[in-house]
């Protein structure tokens, strides 16, 4: 894809507490183990079309260095594949990508599972 923006600027990170609370209370989810993606369409004027929150629970990985590594893998996979989201929908969405697995993943697994979540998200959108 030409002229694709492969960056992950601050404007694409979900930071607004109101949106985060709304996402977890009203959002729908799709799962592609070991990832779970919660999504919600928002009407607010977001800085960008999609905003993402990445989470790795402390329950599964006690050491911060391991949680940070997984979050880095997820953000990198999202960054390289986010252009597929704009092909799926033109609405504004907020996402939470949560790692629910128990073992330290490899990059190629995360890359494939992010795409799996995006595909399931597309199916959910079409079903609505």
């Amino acid at each position: 894809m030409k002229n694709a923006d492969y960056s992950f600027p601050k404007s694409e990170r979900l930071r607004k507490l109101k949106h985060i609370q709304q996402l977890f209370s009203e959002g729908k989810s799709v799962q592609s183990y070991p990832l779970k993606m919660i999504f919600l369409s928002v009407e607010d004027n977001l800085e960008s079309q999609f905003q993402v929150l990445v989470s790795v629970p402390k329950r599964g990985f006690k050491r911060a260095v391991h949680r940070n590594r997984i979050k880095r893998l997820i953000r990198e996979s999202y960054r390289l594949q986010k252009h597929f989201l704009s092909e799926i929908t033109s609405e504004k969405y907020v996402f939470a990508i949560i790692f629910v697995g128990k073992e330290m993943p490899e990059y190629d697994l995360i890359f494939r599972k992010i795409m799996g979540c995006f595909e399931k998200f597309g199916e959910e959108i079409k079903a609505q």
Side-chain angles (χ1 to χ4, degrees):
M1 187 172 173
K2 245 194 288 189
N3 298 338
D5 180 19
Y6 289 111
S7 64
F8 188 43
K10 203 169 187 179
S11 63
E12 290 183 11
R13 295 172 197 256
L14 180 58
R15 299 183 311 272
K16 200 176 232 185
L17 182 62
K18 178 184 141 198
H19 287 156
I20 294 171
Q21 289 173 335
Q22 196 177 7
L23 175 66
F24 283 101
S25 64
E26 303 169 22
K28 294 185 171 75
S29 71
V30 293
Q31 189 158 356
S32 182
Y33 189 84
L35 296 176
K36 179 179 182 180
M37 187 167 92
I38 303 172
F39 59 92
L40 181 68
S41 177
V42 289
E43 303 301 319
D44 284 5
N45 52 348
L46 295 177
E47 296 173 46
S48 63
Q49 185 181 359
F50 304 110
Q51 286 193 339
V52 180
L53 172 140
V54 176
S55 174
V56 180
K58 197 173 189 178
R59 180 181 50 211
F61 293 89
K62 300 294 183 212
R63 293 179 176 258
V65 66
H66 295 148
R67 292 194 304 274
N68 292 339
R69 166 101 178 125
I70 295 168
K71 286 191 278 190
R72 251 192 337 267
L73 293 175
I74 293 171
R75 280 194 300 262
E76 179 67 2
S77 297
Y78 169 80
R79 182 183 74 82
L80 293 174
Q81 300 181 70
K82 68 181 179 180
H83 59 275
F84 291 115
L85 287 173
S86 51
E87 293 172 13
I88 294 171
T89 182
S90 59
E91 293 181 45
K92 293 189 175 207
Y93 277 90
V94 290
F95 297 101
I97 301 175
I98 304 166
F99 186 83
V100 294
K102 299 288 179 234
E103 292 88 34
M104 182 64 79
E106 294 291 321
Y107 174 73
D108 61 327
L109 173 75
I110 294 292
F111 193 86
R112 286 194 322 271
K113 297 304 181 171
I114 288 278
M115 181 48 77
C117 283
F118 287 174
E119 288 167 355
K120 289 179 181 178
F121 166 69
E123 292 166 12
E124 286 280 326
I125 296 301
K126 285 183 178 75
Q128 289 179 355

